[in-house]
Amino acid sequence: TVDVEVPVAGASRQQGAARKKLSELSEADSTVEVLGTVVQVFDIKFFEVCPDCGKRAKPLNNVFSCGQHGAVKPSYSYVMNAVIDDGTETMRLVLFRRMADHLLKKTEQEVLSYRLQPDSFQQVKNDLLGSFVKAVVRVNKNELFDRLELVAQEVYEANPDEEIARLNDELAAAEVNSQKLKETSDAQ
């Protein structure tokens, strides 16, 4: 097997990303952090791209063509969709190549192998169900289906112990604020 470096939960490069519940999200959210459990995984969709610039290569007269580089022998890229549930809502999480690699803990070559052997992806999908994930996302409105979707910018395996500690810190801060409010109202 090949080791794939997966970012550690909490080590987000997007430190300014505010945590939100799925039910609180709107189309205006461009960089938010969400947490949820994977409840559904769809098959990976593969598509042809220009090997030079990575842009979509379109079939034209029995060859693939790039708008910038003309006729090319295409490489392949991919997108994977999963549904996450945070207890307030379920929402589709869209994972383009690198983010899919991170979530699946697979190399690009391992993921590309599923293009020729799609049945071998079934066990990987099953193993992903129930995973606890944290993601920094951009909220996108899917006009075709009239729903909000999450486009992953970063994705991590969430650490339950870190999440419990975070909630305990929030609870302690809320109790301190409540005590201060009580003292202020008693002083009046």
Side-chain angles (χ1 to χ4, degrees):
T1 64
V2 176
D3 290 331
V4 177
E5 184 179 324
V6 177
V8 176
S12 172
R13 289 173 297 185
Q14 306 272 348
Q15 291 296 333
R19 169 80 58 91
K20 285 193 173 184
K21 295 176 183 172
L22 296 180
S23 62
E24 298 171 337
L25 296 176
S26 74
E27 211 175 329
D29 291 314
S30 62
T31 304
V32 295
E33 183 179 83
V34 297
L35 185 73
T37 302
V38 176
V39 295
Q40 188 173 10
V41 181
F42 297 92
D43 288 333
I44 297 173
K45 300 294 181 202
F46 295 93
F47 52 93
E48 296 82 6
V49 294
C50 173
D52 297 321
C53 66
K55 291 183 181 174
R56 188 78 188 254
K58 304 275 187 194
L60 181 67
N61 300 328
N62 296 328
V63 297
F64 283 92
S65 180
C66 167
Q68 185 176 350
H69 296 101
V72 295
K73 181 176 185 233
S75 295
Y76 287 88
S77 192
Y78 44 91
V79 62
M80 185 181 89
N81 291 283
V83 176
I84 62 170
D85 184 335
D86 73 349
T88 68
E89 183 96 40
T90 60
M91 206 168 279
R92 184 177 292 250
L93 178 64
V94 180
L95 301 124
F96 286 94
R97 187 181 61 211
R98 193 173 55 84
M99 292 300 102
D101 296 346
H102 282 288
L103 184 61
L104 296 171
K105 299 179 186 169
K106 303 282 184 194
T107 65
E108 181 178 354
Q109 289 307 317
E110 287 174 310
V111 175
L112 284 170
S113 73
Y114 301 131
R115 182 176 74 84
L116 300 175
Q117 300 171 348
D119 292 344
S120 64
F121 187 60
Q122 187 61 45
Q123 186 60 49
V124 176
K125 287 185 350 182
N126 290 343
D127 291 345
L128 197 56
L129 293 174
S131 297
F132 191 41
V133 297
K134 182 178 357 181
V136 175
V137 300
R138 174 179 49 84
V139 179
N140 184 52
K141 173 77 178 222
N142 182 322
E143 299 293 341
L144 184 62
F145 294 103
D146 191 33
R147 67 177 175 217
L148 296 180
E149 295 179 338
L150 310 172
V151 179
Q153 298 169 339
E154 297 180 39
V155 65
Y156 312 97
E157 185 175 328
N159 182 325
D161 293 330
E162 287 180 10
E163 294 305 317
I164 289 169
R166 184 177 98 33
L167 290 172
N168 284 336
D169 290 346
E170 286 180 11
L171 182 59
E175 288 172 353
V176 167
N177 287 338
S178 176
Q179 184 61 35
K180 286 181 182 178
L181 285 173
K182 185 178 184 305
E183 290 170 3
T184 302
S185 67
D186 288 348
Q188 294 175 353

